[in-house]
Amino acid sequence: MTNAYTAESVGDVPDIQARTETRRAIDEAFQTIVPKGNVARAFWADQISRELSARDFSAARGYLLAAPVMLERDDGRAILAAADAEETGSQDQRLVKAALLFLPNETRAEYERAIEPPRVNIEPDEAEGDVIASSEASSDRTDPDLAPESPADGEAGAEFGDGDIPDEDLYAPRRASAFSLVGDRADLVRRAQRWVNGDAVDSLQIRLSAIGLIDIPNPDEEIDYARAISVLKAAGRARRLTSKYREYLTGRVDLALPEEQAFAAVRDALSQVAPMNQLEDQVVAAFEATIVPEGLRRLESDLAAIDRIAALTSPSGAVTLLESADSPEDVRKLQLIAEAGGDRAVALSKEIGPRVLRLAQIGIKWSMNLALQIMGLAAIGMALAWTALSAVGQARPVRHIRS
């Protein structure tokens, strides 16, 4: 029975029963988070406003999706009716659009401004008279935890903000397919040079970048290893990983790219004076030469789960959820919760923290082996009961002889 309920039984794609039961648990959790004495709609609107101020648009959208179960029964029914009246978009998109109608005007306008596509200005070049197109992306929408490190740290990556990504539907979730904190080969060389020189750098971050720049065979094109690595780097850089999970992650990376061997290989590669483009080739080749294929395959399974969470929510949402993980089993539970609830999982995680893991309803995975084990336990129980009854039936009363 323990094996039937472990997170390993979830699989890469949880079955419909597990997702349904988990979604029910998510809805029940949302019904309990409104403090007693608070007006449900006011509390709900305040939470959305708070997340918008924090530029966590994934959590804000999660609260909008949870409106039918968080608000009073009449409000919930009205939202569902308004969503059903919509004719375009997915079910969640229609639900978000309907829920927005129940927000205060200021909060609704703030949300719509946050998710609107960047404007493109067409301006003439004064010097040449040519027309130049430039996009305006609001810098205040960038999540600080997912922004690239400063040039002094040798890290490059694309700034990410949910509102910086064009989308045809304003009520669709913001995704960041181009989000990356892996950096480029030149950044890797600079950081590797600092590592070799003995500067205070995080070798785990450097090796994650190296793995992201190595051409990993990817049979499943839907898995974005660079995005998963970027989520891990962002969470690690912001110190939002638990000590247990960071220790586990370090062990996984050590199996895939051993620290001592990688350091020695990179030191030899950088000992030669060469142009930057040649050094880039040498450093990447040095890292690639120390890759352990079996360890890399194990790490890829972790990256696939993290990328799936990011795809179902957002990179910033994945970082938020990973804060609750102590083990790979926890990550698989979080994946199931994200499969069942999407951005709802992010909002709920910010409300209840690590308790969100309890919402993963794995369910029993019946198999021939499990059936035989249960039959064996039943047979043992019957045998013990028969033995006990036989012992009681054969017992004789003890006669005491008086002298």
Side-chain angles (χ1 to χ4, degrees):
M1 295 297 288
T2 299
N3 291 337
Y5 280 97
T6 58
E8 293 181 358
S9 65
V10 176
D12 295 333
V13 181
D15 63 21
I16 186 64
Q17 180 182 356
R19 294 199 301 270
T20 300
E21 292 178 358
T22 301
R23 175 60 181 276
R24 185 181 298 112
I26 290 173
D27 289 345
E28 291 174 355
F30 269 116
Q31 292 171 352
T32 64
I33 64 175
V34 179
K36 292 183 178 180
N38 287 48
V39 178
R41 189 192 288 194
F43 175 81
W44 170 73
D46 287 344
Q47 300 306 98
I48 294 174
S49 179
R50 180 195 68 186
E51 299 305 336
L52 291 174
S53 299
R55 300 189 298 278
D56 192 340
F57 308 119
S58 185
R61 185 172 184 272
Y63 283 113
L64 288 171
L65 292 170
V69 295
M70 281 188 67
L71 303 186
E72 299 294 340
R73 180 177 299 180
D74 290 342
D75 286 343
R77 289 176 176 175
I79 290 174
L80 291 176
D84 290 338
E86 293 291 333
E87 298 180 353
T88 59
S90 67
Q91 181 179 359
D92 280 355
Q93 291 169 16
R94 296 196 305 269
L95 189 57
V96 167
K97 189 173 183 179
L100 283 171
L101 300 175
F102 287 73
L103 283 175
N105 292 335
E106 181 179 351
T107 305
R108 180 170 64 251
E110 185 181 0
Y111 182 86
E112 292 179 339
R113 284 195 304 269
I115 66 174
E116 68 182 358
R119 296 184 299 274
V120 177
N121 292 338
I122 307 299
E123 300 177 351
D125 188 328
E126 296 180 357
E128 309 233 351
D130 295 332
V131 175
I132 299 176
S134 61
S135 64
E136 292 183 358
S138 176
S139 60
D140 63 351
R141 298 176 193 154
T142 302
D143 189 327
D145 290 339
L146 301 183
E149 293 173 324
S150 63
D153 292 330
E155 182 70 58
E159 288 192 355
F160 167 72
D162 284 340
D164 297 336
I165 304 164
D167 197 320
E168 296 179 1
D169 190 339
L170 292 181
Y171 304 99
R174 291 293 171 191
R175 301 300 177 236
S177 59
F179 165 69
S180 177
L181 292 182
V182 172
D184 56 23
R185 292 153 64 97
D187 298 318
L188 181 62
V189 171
R190 286 191 289 267
R191 290 176 65 79
Q193 185 66 66
R194 295 178 59 197
W195 187 27
V196 169
N197 291 343
D199 295 344
V201 296
D202 188 345
S203 68
L204 179 63
Q205 295 261 327
I206 295 175
R207 286 180 289 156
L208 282 172
S209 290
I211 292 171
L213 291 171
I214 292 171
D215 187 16
I216 301 176
N218 187 0
D220 189 346
E221 296 181 356
E222 293 184 0
I223 300 176
D224 187 344
Y225 291 125
R227 176 169 55 186
I229 288 173
S230 298
V231 167
L232 287 175
K233 291 192 65 178
R237 199 178 71 198
R239 297 179 181 177
R240 295 174 69 180
L241 295 176
T242 65
S243 58
K244 289 183 179 179
Y245 191 74
R246 181 179 171 86
E247 182 180 352
Y248 166 80
L249 179 62
T250 301
R252 281 294 212 193
V253 175
D254 283 340
L255 291 175
L257 188 58
E259 183 174 19
E260 293 183 4
Q261 291 89 323
F263 180 85
V266 171
R267 181 184 57 197
D268 293 342
L270 291 173
S271 63
Q272 307 173 22
V273 178
M276 176 58 79
N277 59 351
Q278 185 176 338
L279 283 178
E280 292 173 8
D281 293 338
Q282 292 175 182
V283 169
V284 172
F287 278 113
E288 190 167 5
T290 55
I291 285 285
V292 179
E294 179 60 30
L296 182 60
R297 281 192 292 271
R298 293 182 181 180
L299 179 62
E300 286 174 13
S301 65
D302 295 287
L303 297 179
I306 292 169
D307 178 63
R308 182 61 179 164
I309 295 173
L312 292 164
T313 57
S314 67
S316 61
V319 171
T320 297
L321 290 171
L322 281 178
E323 287 185 280
S324 300
D326 284 333
S327 66
E329 288 75 21
D330 287 347
V331 174
R332 295 177 75 84
K333 289 181 180 179
L334 292 171
Q335 180 184 346
L336 171 57
I337 295 168
E339 294 274 3
D343 288 321
R344 297 173 184 83
V346 181
L348 200 52
S349 179
K350 300 192 80 169
E351 285 287 345
I352 65 177
R355 286 184 295 154
V356 73
L357 292 168
R358 302 176 187 174
L359 304 179
Q361 305 297 310
I362 307 302
I364 296 180
K365 301 279 188 180
W366 290 102
S367 63
M368 180 61 69
N369 185 40
L370 178 60
L372 292 174
Q373 288 179 354
I374 293 178
M375 291 172 64
L377 288 174
I380 293 172
M382 293 175 63
L384 290 174
W386 178 261
T387 302
L389 289 172
S390 299
V392 171
Q394 294 177 4
R396 296 180 179 179
V398 178
R399 296 181 180 180
H400 298 279
I401 301 176
R402 296 179 180 178
S403 56

